[in-house]
Amino acid sequence: MQAPLARKIVSAVGRVDYCRVRLGEAGVEPLALSGASILSTTTRADGFVVVPGESEGFGAGALVTVHLYS
């Protein structure tokens, strides 16, 4: 599905990132991309957004493709 981002997703150029997200009233809410909280976001996520390697991420309000967990 496609939906707007509630907050930006930041990524490093040259690396493909898979950002876990939750669906909310304001749009797609990014969860932690790295760090200590990355494991806990697995249970809270509704799906993920792929950030391509040639991108620095997506700005708030950008329309992104969300891959939903079944």
Side-chain angles (χ1 to χ4, degrees), residues 10-19 33 48-55:
V10 178
S11 180
V13 172
R15 181 180 72 202
V16 175
D17 278 320
Y18 299 85
C19 181
L33 191 59
F48 64 94
V49 171
V50 179
V51 181
E54 63 275 1
S55 174

Side-chain angles (χ1 to χ4, degrees), residues 22-33:
R22 285 184 86 168
L23 302 177
E25 292 179 22
V28 179
E29 185 71 31
L31 301 174
L33 191 59

Side-chain angles (χ1 to χ4, degrees), residues 18-23 29-48 67-70:
Y18 299 85
C19 181
R20 292 177 180 98
V21 296
R22 285 184 86 168
L23 302 177
E29 185 71 31
L31 301 174
L33 191 59
S34 64
S37 63
I38 195 163
L39 184 58
S40 66
T41 62
T42 302
T43 59
R44 297 190 340 247
D46 295 315
F48 64 94
H67 302 274
L68 296 174
Y69 296 135
S70 297

